[in-house]
Amino acid sequence: MVTRFQIEDIIAQDASGVVFRALDKNTNEPVCVRRFFPFGAEGGGLDAEEQVAYRMAVNRLAEIRHATFRSVVTGGCDPHDGMPFFASEWIEGESLAQRLQTGFLSPMEVIEVIHGAFDAAEVLSQMLEEQAVWIDTHLSAIFAGIGQPGRRFVFTISPTQWLGDHERRRSLAPIAKLAEELLGWRNRLVADQAGNGLGAWVKWVKLYAQSATLAEARQALVTATTPVAIPKGSPTAPLAVRPQPTKPMLAKRVPGMETARVSNSGVRS
């Protein structure tokens, strides 16, 4: 990171890591560089084996080109402390956090955001060979109106989704929370018909957050928000609980545990 990228400004910083605006000296283009703490601020970086697996995973992510996904340029680990980082395309536009400063989104806009979230999550799931909500659903990480055809809303991968177990990654609860934030429904009880049927869909997602697939949640969204088919109650439950992989990409280290496993997506757990 030190040799290829010239840091220009700090965009954000919290307990999970720091985000920079930087210049990619290979292309002379601005990029977003995110350095994150895989095991917490005091947990140290990745060891040698984990660093190899991480670079392999980043190389796979760099192959993705999709209208709803913020393209990954490259990534690696700091040679001094093993802290991982990745660089992605620089997005000019306003985040949804900025957008909400002028008012909540309309139901139709929220439906479009959620479909975009499903698109990005499904593309990442296919590349990483594990179905999960890989995207960052924080309002500050989702960009809108960037002025490029077909790119209404753009999402980025969430480093924190690479941590912990599969149960947390696959949960659809963050997408339901995103919808509530965009509609101004946080801590509110809403009717099923609210938001053109989004009220019923949010309730359904919360109920089946761990068992429903991305495809089932998308179909439930279509069913709940189609004007001629808004249900009186919650949408139909998932057809079946899907089997879940047992090998997460990256798990928190447990004292005394010396063995390691490598998941399909390539990062040690």
Side-chain angles (χ1 to χ4, degrees), residues 197-208:
L198 282 168
W201 180 78
V202 167
K203 294 175 185 178
W204 182 89
V205 172
K206 289 182 177 181
L207 185 60
Y208 298 107

Side-chain angles (χ1 to χ4, degrees), residues 8-191:
E8 297 181 335
D9 194 12
I10 295 179
I11 304 302
Q13 186 171 9
D14 57 27
S16 67
V18 58
V19 180
F20 305 95
R21 175 189 169 99
L23 177 70
D24 184 346
K25 291 186 285 188
N26 284 10
T27 63
N28 204 35
E29 295 288 338
V31 292
C32 177
V33 175
R34 187 164 187 172
R35 171 184 160 98
F36 62 98
F37 309 133
F39 307 107
E42 304 299 326
L46 303 180
D47 62 27
E49 182 180 346
E50 290 168 333
Q51 290 183 35
V52 172
Y54 175 74
R55 283 193 292 269
M56 291 174 61
V58 170
N59 288 339
R60 297 174 71 180
L61 292 173
E63 298 175 9
I64 299 175
R65 294 293 183 273
H66 194 274
T68 62
F69 181 62
R70 190 172 190 162
S71 300
V72 172
V73 177
T74 188
C77 296
D78 190 308
H80 301 293
D81 57 15
M83 289 295 181
F85 72 91
F86 67 92
S88 55
E89 65 174 315
W90 181 259
I91 298 291
E92 292 289 353
E94 64 176 358
S95 68
L96 290 185
Q98 295 171 313
R99 173 72 181 277
L100 257 61
Q101 292 176 4
T102 59
F104 297 113
L105 272 61
S106 70
M108 293 307 297
E109 287 177 310
V110 173
I111 291 170
E112 188 176 359
V113 171
I114 299 306
H115 275 297
F118 284 138
D119 286 342
E122 287 172 348
V123 167
L124 288 167
S125 295
Q126 291 172 9
M127 179 59 72
L128 297 174
E129 300 179 5
E130 178 185 337
Q131 177 168 276
V133 183
W134 296 106
I135 56 172
D136 192 332
T137 55
H138 291 93
L139 298 181
S140 59
I142 306 169
F143 281 77
I146 65 174
Q148 297 180 21
R151 306 195 76 185
R152 183 82 166 88
F153 299 102
V154 179
F155 298 81
T156 187
I157 191 168
S158 170
T160 59
Q161 292 291 64
W162 295 14
L163 313 177
D165 58 24
H166 178 79
E167 293 289 336
R168 185 176 71 177
R169 283 199 299 276
R170 74 162 287 117
S171 174
L172 297 170
I175 296 184
K177 178 182 176 182
L178 172 62
E180 289 182 313
E181 290 178 327
L182 295 176
L183 291 161
W185 289 356
R186 290 294 302 278
N187 302 318
R188 289 180 54 191
L189 293 176
V190 298

